[in-house]
Amino acid sequence: MVLYLDLDGVVHHEKVLWHPSKGIFMSPYEAAGHVLFEWVPILEAALEPYPEVALVLSSTWCIRPGYSATLKRLPSSLRTRFIGGTYHKRVHGVDPWNQSMFRNMSRGVQVQEDARRRKPRQWLALDDDVEDWPDASRQNLIACEGRTGLSDPKVQRELREKLQRCHAALAKQ
């Protein structure tokens, strides 16, 4: 089973900035009082009963700062679950045109294409980017609101319910 994980708007507030010398940081104006990865403990708790759930990074963080650099910022309890990202140099290439094409593709299509490649028996996606999500995959989406992400009790409940449903379906297979 795979959980496609976005970061901005999911494990922390959506208002994240990047600067060449500072790197990635939370906007001091639009997200005052918030910190990067502040809701990660909520995700860890939700995944704890399901050690078989693998994670795939479905975020612009795959490109900048990059998959490996991103994983270094996460706790080992999550880091060890990652099996890849939706953007990968071997699949999408490294030239700027290919990166631009990937970035212009809706998140739902990025995730759906990755799921076709990986062929997980069950998958879910946790994301705040819900525009143009393919109808065929909408039931796999747990939609977050970018300012509250996983801190929203309704999102937490939906995540728990869908993880439980996928786990039960896998047990029957």
Side-chain angles (χ1 to χ4, degrees):
M1 181 179 161
V2 169
L3 175 64
Y4 288 90
L5 180 65
D6 182 24
L7 299 179
D8 302 338
V10 176
V11 297
H12 50 244
H13 194 286
E14 67 185 351
K15 294 300 182 179
V16 174
L17 303 173
W18 181 84
H19 186 272
S21 62
K22 286 184 177 180
I24 296 175
F25 62 100
M26 195 60 62
S27 169
Y29 307 106
E30 297 177 285
H34 291 279
V35 295
L36 292 173
F37 307 108
E38 66 184 303
W39 302 316
V40 160
I42 297 167
L43 179 62
E44 290 175 300
L47 291 175
E48 203 239 328
Y50 307 103
E52 73 281 4
V53 176
L55 298 175
V56 172
L57 186 61
S58 60
S59 169
T60 57
W61 287 55
C62 283
I63 297 171
R64 186 172 50 201
Y67 178 77
S68 296
T70 299
L71 264 53
K72 288 176 186 174
R73 298 182 78 159
L74 296 170
S76 64
S77 63
L78 294 182
R79 196 170 42 240
T80 58
R81 290 176 178 262
F82 276 91
I83 59 171
T86 52
Y87 176 83
H88 197 284
K89 292 174 186 170
R90 281 184 296 193
V91 175
H92 301 99
V94 292
D95 77 49
W97 188 83
N98 282 339
Q99 283 185 0
S100 176
M101 292 296 292
F102 181 80
R103 284 180 187 249
N104 289 330
M105 193 183 309
S106 79
R107 182 67 53 77
V109 171
Q110 292 172 9
V111 168
Q112 191 174 36
E113 285 187 4
D114 192 86
R116 279 193 201 117
R117 275 192 306 275
R118 289 183 200 278
K119 298 180 182 13
R121 293 188 307 176
Q122 295 285 323
W123 67 270
L124 297 170
L126 195 52
D127 211 313
D128 70 324
D129 185 350
V130 299
E131 273 189 53
D132 301 322
W133 199 273
D135 289 338
S137 300
R138 197 163 281 278
Q139 76 277 0
N140 300 76
L141 174 64
I142 301 150
C144 295
E145 198 284 309
R147 291 170 298 176
T148 56
L150 272 170
S151 72
D152 183 335
K154 288 182 273 182
V155 172
Q156 293 173 35
R157 187 171 34 258
E158 184 180 0
L159 175 60
R160 283 192 308 270
E161 289 170 1
K162 287 188 174 183
L163 283 168
Q164 191 172 31
R165 197 173 312 134
C166 286
H167 179 74
L170 285 172
K172 291 178 184 179
Q173 293 180 348

